[in-house]
Amino acid sequence: MEVAKSRFFRPYAQWIISHRLLVVIVILGITAFLVTRIGSLQMDTNPNLWAPQKHAYVVTTNLLEEVFGGRNLTVIGVVPKQGGIYQPQVLAKIKHIQEEIEQLPNAVRHNILSLAARKVKQIKGSPEGMEVRPMMETVPQTPAEMERLKAAVASMPIYINALVSPDGKAAAVVADFKQDEKTPNFIALLEGMRKIVDHERDDTVDIYLGGTPVIGEAADVQFMKMPMFFGAALLVIMLIQYWSFRSLQGMLLPMLTGVLSVIWSLGLMGLLSVHMDPLNTTTPILVMAVAAGHAIQILKRYYEEYHRLQSAGMNARDANRTAVVESMIRVGPVMIVAGLIAAITFFSLASTGISMVQHFGVFAGCGVLAAMVIEMTVIPAVRSALRPPKKREAERERKAGILDKFLLGVANNLVGGRASWIVGGGLALLALVGTGVAFLRIDNNFKLYFKPTSQLRIDDRALNRTFGGTNSIQFLIQTPEPDGIKDPRVLQGMAQLQTFLESQADVGKTQSLVDLIKRMNQAMHADDKAFYTLPQSRELVAQYLFLYSLSGDPQDFDSFVDNNYQRASVWTFIKNDSTTNADILAHKAQTVIDKSFPPGVSVQMGGSLPQLIALNDVIVQDKFRNMAQMALVVFILGAIVLRSWVGGLFVITPLFAVTIANFGLMGWLHTPLDITAMTTAAMAIGIGADYEIYLLFRFREELARGGDVRSATQTSLLTSGKAILFVALSVIGGYAVLQASDFAFYNQLSNMVTATMAVSAFFALFFLRALMMIFKPRFIFGDQPEALFNKVATVTPGGRT
């Protein structure tokens, strides 16, 4: 193995050093090209990115949008500061908002509803049978006109709690928008609406905004701040690098590779036309930290080799170049193995059913591969061109500190018979933390990523108090033939479904064609309230719809039924956006559906909340499947590179521990299992495998060099082990800056990454080392491990003997 490494990597490193100018020019040329591709990146937060497209709820949602619209419903609540809505100036504002939004190019016009909408009509009895006219063609000016409008609204229950609050003190404009390439994010989607609404704000009314697009818009604002956090992370990681090497050269070279790796990965995304999305906004921090971490391993070895060569009497210039070659021979193969395992782990996320997670996997995987290429070229080329470290600089880098003394103490305990105590302590800690799994819950409530005092949450609470709810579920009813919706049995099934839904605690309002047909039946019976019921025959239903069409408009029912009366929608507005509660409601509703509709009629669920339920389902399925898949990849690759199945187990064991600790901490901290958990699990497996591989290779190298277990343990911990701690600190420090954000999504991600890196480092450095001492695996110690343990040697914190 050593001969093979030297045979390939020695001439490679020597060629890089001899042609360093060419190498730097090529790397800069590639970087310049990829920089030009970064400009094509856009922030894309289209719901399709996080919605698993093959899930039944998402398929139904897409069909509902195609037929009825409604995916991006936005509620605009207008609340007068004095009096109710029946004031000319208040109604004028509603009318103006309605008319202006209808003119926006991305508006779904038939779903823009308010008292001023043309399709919002009053149905009333007349001598001829039925009269249909717009609720508010012009703004009432006189008290008599205002009373007529108030009476007209009261006669149409379908609009109470939807467009007008039950007490008449608030009114709503419900808008719907269609996303396309010109509006890839919610800021662009709502830009026109924001201008219209802001124009109507004054000291006479409060205007509140709610709905999924508003949540998405607020999240997009936070995502746009990521360059600021990336800059802060860069500074933090630079400080950690300086602490690691105690020199400017040692700090800047890893950061150069980190920044170049980020540029390459962003450029590759632009080249592949993959836009930035919420998960990818933090990936540059990960790529930079991982790239800097690999660079630490190489540079730490460089300083070791440089000191050895200088101590042997070699002059500084030759020692510098030779140390570059030797560090590449020793660390290069390990870095490639660890990097490939991490990259494959991230790329495996491409098999998930969620585009956003797929993009994260591709981005992170490309970043790791870019880091490998850059570290195998830029570091040897630039390091060999730089002046050799000055004596004082080299001494500072080797000077033993608190960390060295701590690691030396751990090494002595490991070899000194206390390995079983470390294993026992690790298992006890893991068991304690792991019990938190019992409290783990699955939820993707995006609204809770914002603080209760944020304007988003304030508006949402006000709208949910006043109207039916800012979250929606749609039920798609499909009949086997045209005009099937006119069947009274189908209509009765829809009515029973609505009755059930409105009896549930969080449901504030339902709407469907049933509400309008009931009102038609009442109007045809002299507005007698006793006849607010469904007709008993298909012929009578058809007659009512025909009479309505004589004075109504063909598009009036576009939100509720298609042109062929073969498909219909039941709209359900909910005050609580918990996906857990919505899932419970869905299962209860299914029981009612099974009993209420005639054979041959299908009822599926879609809408904003069902999409989140689908995300929950896929997260559970994909997370565990993907974790098993990644674990298998790491096990096989680890076994191959270590030439031992037991070696593969050693590489993968800390990953299971980290996973248990992750879930346990989420349970104890009441952090829901959501989409961020998928990314942190991938990070734990990808980076955790790096830790173990670096340590195992270094321990075997030291053991082969001197044949002494104590010396090998001490040296491997003081070199690769110390570098691992700096890598973990770099990742933790980079993500720690997200704690300064007001966005709980980032806070939660920061917490998860911190816990993951800390647990990964602990198990790799201590727990696995202790297991190694207890079981003495053959792939490390050979056939006679006891003979090795009988030798005793010592080492100082500054280096090996």
Side-chain angles (χ1 to χ4, degrees), residues 511-767:
Q511 291 179 317
S512 77
L513 181 67
V514 166
D515 301 300
L516 293 172
I517 293 176
K518 284 181 177 180
R519 179 60 190 138
M520 294 176 201
N521 191 47
Q522 182 183 6
M524 292 297 291
H525 289 85
D527 287 328
D528 187 342
K529 293 182 180 180
F531 287 91
Y532 188 71
T533 58
L534 287 169
Q536 297 301 308
S537 71
R538 181 192 290 258
E539 291 75 17
L540 196 53
V541 171
Q543 182 182 349
Y544 286 169
L545 293 171
F546 173 74
L547 290 172
Y548 182 100
S549 68
L550 295 178
S551 51
D553 295 315
Q555 70 271 22
D556 286 353
F557 301 151
D558 284 353
S559 301
F560 302 124
V561 68
D562 66 359
N563 292 333
N564 294 328
Y565 284 85
Q566 190 169 354
R567 294 178 290 192
S569 174
V570 173
W571 294 74
T572 310
F573 296 94
I574 300 177
K575 296 176 181 288
N576 185 315
D577 63 353
S578 167
T579 49
T580 302
N581 294 343
D583 198 22
I584 294 171
L585 177 64
H587 284 90
K588 289 181 178 179
Q590 189 61 51
T591 302
V592 176
I593 290 168
D594 293 341
K595 295 178 180 178
S596 303
F597 287 87
V601 177
S602 68
V603 181
Q604 288 93 33
M605 191 173 75
S608 62
L609 279 179
Q611 283 197 114
L612 294 181
I613 296 172
L615 181 58
N616 285 354
D617 292 345
V618 170
I619 280 179
V620 174
Q621 296 169 7
D622 277 10
K623 184 174 180 63
F624 291 103
R625 178 177 60 81
N626 186 252
M627 285 170 57
Q629 174 181 301
M630 290 189 291
L632 181 62
V633 168
V634 172
F635 170 71
I636 292 174
L637 293 177
I640 291 173
V641 298
L642 294 171
R643 299 181 181 182
S644 166
W645 294 116
V646 177
L649 289 175
F650 261 77
V651 173
I652 203 173
T653 297
L655 310 185
F656 288 114
V658 170
T659 301
I660 294 171
N662 251 343
F663 288 150
L665 284 171
M666 290 174 68
W668 284 118
L669 298 174
H670 303 291
T671 301
L673 180 60
D674 61 12
I675 198 167
T676 61
M678 296 190 75
T679 61
T680 52
M683 290 169 60
I685 293 175
I687 299 175
D690 282 6
Y691 294 166
E692 187 58 22
I693 287 171
Y694 273 115
L695 269 171
L696 283 174
F697 270 87
R698 186 57 188 265
F699 181 84
R700 289 206 311 186
E701 178 189 335
E702 296 301 326
L703 191 62
R705 186 197 306 272
D708 183 84
V709 174
R710 183 184 296 274
S711 177
T713 302
Q714 292 172 334
T715 303
S716 62
L717 284 180
L718 289 170
T719 54
S720 289
K722 187 176 178 181
I724 283 169
L725 284 178
F726 284 121
V727 173
L729 286 173
S730 294
V731 179
I732 290 171
Y735 276 85
V737 302
L738 298 179
Q739 291 294 338
S741 172
D742 292 332
F743 192 32
F745 179 88
Y746 286 157
N747 304 150
Q748 183 174 310
L749 185 60
S750 175
N751 292 336
M752 294 296 298
V753 170
T754 298
T756 295
M757 292 299 102
V759 174
S760 295
F762 169 80
F763 274 91
L765 285 170
F766 312 131
F767 188 81

Side-chain angles (χ1 to χ4, degrees), residues 76-98 114-116 136 138-141 146 149 163-164 168-173 200-207 467:
I76 305 166
V78 181
V79 183
K81 294 184 177 180
Q82 292 185 346
I85 63 165
Y86 297 104
Q87 305 176 58
Q89 68 272 21
V90 176
L91 294 174
K93 288 181 180 294
I94 293 170
K95 185 174 179 62
H96 184 260
I97 292 172
Q98 170 77 37
S114 72
L115 293 180
M136 190 180 77
T138 60
V139 176
Q141 299 296 322
M146 204 65 74
L149 174 61
L163 301 182
V164 179
K169 292 184 177 180
V173 179
E200 298 302 322
R201 295 184 188 274
D202 57 31
D203 57 2
T204 66
V205 296
D206 290 318
I207 300 181
F467 302 105

